[in-house]
Amino acid sequence: MKRTTVRLTTAAALAGLAACTSSVPAERPAKEAPTASAPASLPALRVAERATERARSARVSSTTVMGTQLSLTADGVLAWNDGLSGSLTITYTGGTTAETMRGLGVTSMQARYLSDAYYARMGDTFAARTGGKHWLRYAYDDLKALGGGAELADQMRSTTPGQSVRLLLDSDDVRTLGRETVHGRGTTHYAGTVDVGDVTDAELRERLQEADVTAETVDIWINDQDLLVKKVERTSTANGTVTQTAHYGDYGVKVAVREPPAADTEDFGDLLSQSGTNPT
């Protein structure tokens, strides 16, 4: 497989992964003035954090726009009982990376998340260039060999719906915006700006700082069962504004993810070796 194809495939597949796991390099968004409702919001958010984490799995539907670079949708199920696992169908809807993917014959991709690796089904055009193999396996240890890959691998292992709630708990301007309807159900809307230096979760703070994130704005909607049902996160980057909107439901859904067949899977590390491509 040619070096150029390896680079394009790697960049495109991992761009989709990064978008789905959020947390991108950002500049500090402007903050609104703190409001008197901020202290009253915290007990409800702590309850929502615990309830969302205890649910351990959910169905997710999200839309991500990364400036002019990439826009995509992702639909599937995620579980976070012991690290992140799940299966998503990622559809590339626009941007320069989507054009790259179309050049590889890929407009959508199935992604599987397991404890040790991320798998991406790249399609028939990719398979024709890899001896008929449709799946590409990225071991998290191999991702760490890429520039920025260590942060990406850590994001994969620790990103859960509850992370957005935890971020708001560390916001000094969190506020309650009132009752709103999401998908026909009543919810309470909370919002705030989070300075990464104020994040009390040391592991999360370090991961965000390593990704050069300084701050982001977070909006979440919590239903009457204290579960997160919608989030919107916004940051600014050199490539433009990154916005991710995600809806969560069917909490507690069974998530059973299997490795793709070995005979139909190309290992990312082996692909690099065969092409002589330097991962950095």
Side-chain angles (χ1 to χ4, degrees):
M1 193 172 186
K2 295 181 180 180
R3 294 185 182 186
T4 301
T5 302
V6 172
R7 292 194 184 99
L8 290 176
T9 302
T10 300
L14 293 183
L17 169 61
C20 291
T21 56
S22 193
S23 296
V24 293
E27 298 172 356
R28 184 182 302 271
K31 279 186 145 185
E32 297 181 21
T35 68
S37 68
S41 304
L42 298 182
L45 290 175
R46 291 191 183 99
V47 171
E49 178 195 17
R50 291 192 293 269
T52 299
E53 288 300 319
R54 283 198 301 264
R56 297 185 177 181
S57 66
R59 198 170 300 280
V60 59
S61 177
S62 69
T63 301
T64 302
V65 179
M66 302 175 67
T68 59
Q69 178 185 358
L70 176 66
S71 59
L72 58 82
T73 62
D75 299 275
V77 292
L78 294 175
W80 51 90
N81 183 29
D82 183 17
L84 187 72
S85 63
S87 176
L88 295 174
T89 298
I90 299 171
T91 301
Y92 298 89
T93 57
T96 55
T97 300
E99 292 296 327
T100 298
M101 294 302 285
R102 277 192 282 273
L104 295 171
V106 179
T107 57
S108 66
M109 177 181 74
Q110 184 181 356
R112 295 184 186 178
Y113 308 91
L114 285 91
S115 61
D116 63 337
Y118 158 67
Y119 293 84
R121 193 180 193 284
M122 303 301 295
D124 292 336
T125 302
F126 173 81
R129 302 177 181 181
T130 56
K133 297 180 179 180
H134 294 82
W135 289 88
L136 189 57
R137 177 184 184 271
Y138 296 91
Y140 297 128
D141 289 342
D142 289 338
L143 287 179
K144 291 183 178 181
L146 296 168
E151 296 84 43
L152 188 58
D154 289 341
Q155 285 177 32
M156 273 298 307
R157 287 171 165 151
S158 60
T159 298
T160 69
Q163 178 173 299
S164 297
V165 184
R166 289 198 300 275
L167 285 173
L168 270 190
L169 283 168
D170 292 322
S171 170
D172 61 12
D173 71 345
V174 61
R175 54 209 179 275
T176 304
L177 299 184
R179 297 286 292 177
E180 298 180 16
T181 300
V182 175
H183 288 171
R185 301 292 180 88
T187 69
T188 302
H189 182 185
Y190 302 91
T193 301
V194 184
D195 290 322
V196 171
D198 295 334
V199 174
T200 55
D201 184 321
E203 182 178 349
L204 175 57
R205 182 178 64 251
E206 180 180 1
R207 176 159 53 83
L208 293 171
Q209 289 173 335
E210 287 177 348
D212 294 327
V213 175
T214 58
E216 61 182 298
T217 60
V218 180
D219 288 73
I220 63 173
W221 287 257
I222 304 296
N223 68 11
D224 294 336
Q225 288 72 49
D226 302 312
L227 295 169
L228 175 69
V229 294
K230 179 182 176 181
K231 74 164 185 178
V232 178
E233 297 184 7
R234 302 179 184 87
T235 59
S236 298
T237 77
N239 294 317
T241 300
V242 177
T243 303
Q244 185 184 64
T245 301
H247 290 85
Y248 301 95
D250 200 10
Y251 276 93
V253 63
K254 183 178 180 180
V255 178
V257 185
R258 295 181 178 180
E259 293 184 9
D264 197 26
T265 302
E266 182 71 41
D267 188 85
F268 171 65
D270 293 343
L271 196 62
L272 289 178
S273 298
Q274 294 167 12
S275 67
T277 303
N278 186 332
T280 59

